[in-house]
Amino acid sequence: MKDEALPLRKFAAVSDWTAEVNGLPVRLAIAPARRLLDVIRDDLELTGTKRSCEIGRCGACMVLIDGRPANACLTMAYQCEGRPIRTIEGIADGAMHPVQRAFLEEGGYQCGYCTPGMVVSATALLDANPDPSPEEVEEALSGNLCRCTGYGGIIRAVRRAVELRREGN
């Protein structure tokens, strides 16, 4: 008997996947082996979440799952079944978010490739800790890699976001 490989597609199950993405209910038929990053970018067309290193080192694909930062490239979509997911598109709620505004004011916005992940990580930090220490800011952004320049503007932006949030902006 000849040992032939069976077509993978025959065994690739498709199941209903539901989640709340940026406050909206989502229901898709997807294969269980799909990464959250691919579902967000390719199926939902939310391209602010960047595809970069794909091994969880750069943070360009950072999203919030249950309000906590996670690399979408390392997260399988099935792990997020029924959970709230927030992408960079969901950070602003009609108006510019204070973290986004602070990134623009303080030069934290650079090439735009790492910025969405940085904003998502900074938002998660400030939601959990409205007045972080400099060490806590560095720790929160340690999973995000900037390839353009340095972190001076980014760190200033997070400190400015603390002020803006305190002022109610």
Side-chain angles (χ1 to χ4, degrees):
M1 178 175 172
K2 187 176 181 180
D3 187 23
E4 293 182 22
L6 296 174
L8 181 60
R9 200 173 225 0
K10 184 175 182 178
F11 296 103
V14 173
S15 62
D16 280 339
W17 179 78
T18 59
E20 180 188 300
V21 179
N22 297 333
L24 300 173
V26 172
R27 183 179 182 150
L28 296 171
I30 62 169
R34 298 280 313 277
R35 295 180 310 165
L36 180 60
L37 175 63
D38 299 326
V39 171
I40 288 171
R41 288 187 54 86
D42 302 336
D43 297 8
L44 301 177
E45 298 179 349
L46 296 171
T47 57
T49 303
K50 302 301 183 200
R51 181 177 289 133
S52 187
C53 73
E54 301 197 61
I55 56 174
R57 290 199 178 156
C58 73
C61 65
M62 198 67 70
V63 297
L64 301 179
I65 302 170
D66 293 324
R68 296 168 49 191
N71 290 307
C73 71
L74 299 179
T75 305
M76 302 305 291
Y78 76 84
Q79 294 174 303
C80 306
E81 174 71 32
R83 299 166 70 184
I85 300 163
R86 198 164 158 204
T87 69
I88 186 66
E89 288 89 349
I91 294 294
D93 189 20
M96 189 177 297
H97 189 277
V99 173
Q100 293 172 311
R101 182 173 156 200
F103 267 68
L104 288 173
E105 288 179 3
E106 296 297 330
Y109 179 85
Q110 295 171 26
C111 78
Y113 212 81
C114 73
T115 301
M118 296 274 188
V119 169
V120 168
S121 292
T123 299
L125 168 66
L126 299 182
D127 285 349
N129 179 0
D131 193 16
S133 68
E135 294 80 16
E136 290 168 324
V137 171
E138 287 182 24
E139 174 65 26
L141 296 177
S142 65
N144 296 84
L145 178 63
C146 171
R147 295 174 177 94
C148 291
T149 56
Y151 292 85
I154 294 166
I155 300 296
R156 282 193 314 272
V158 176
R159 300 302 315 159
R160 177 69 179 136
V162 168
E163 295 170 9
L164 290 172
R165 289 170 57 115
R166 194 176 297 138
E167 296 166 2
N169 293 319

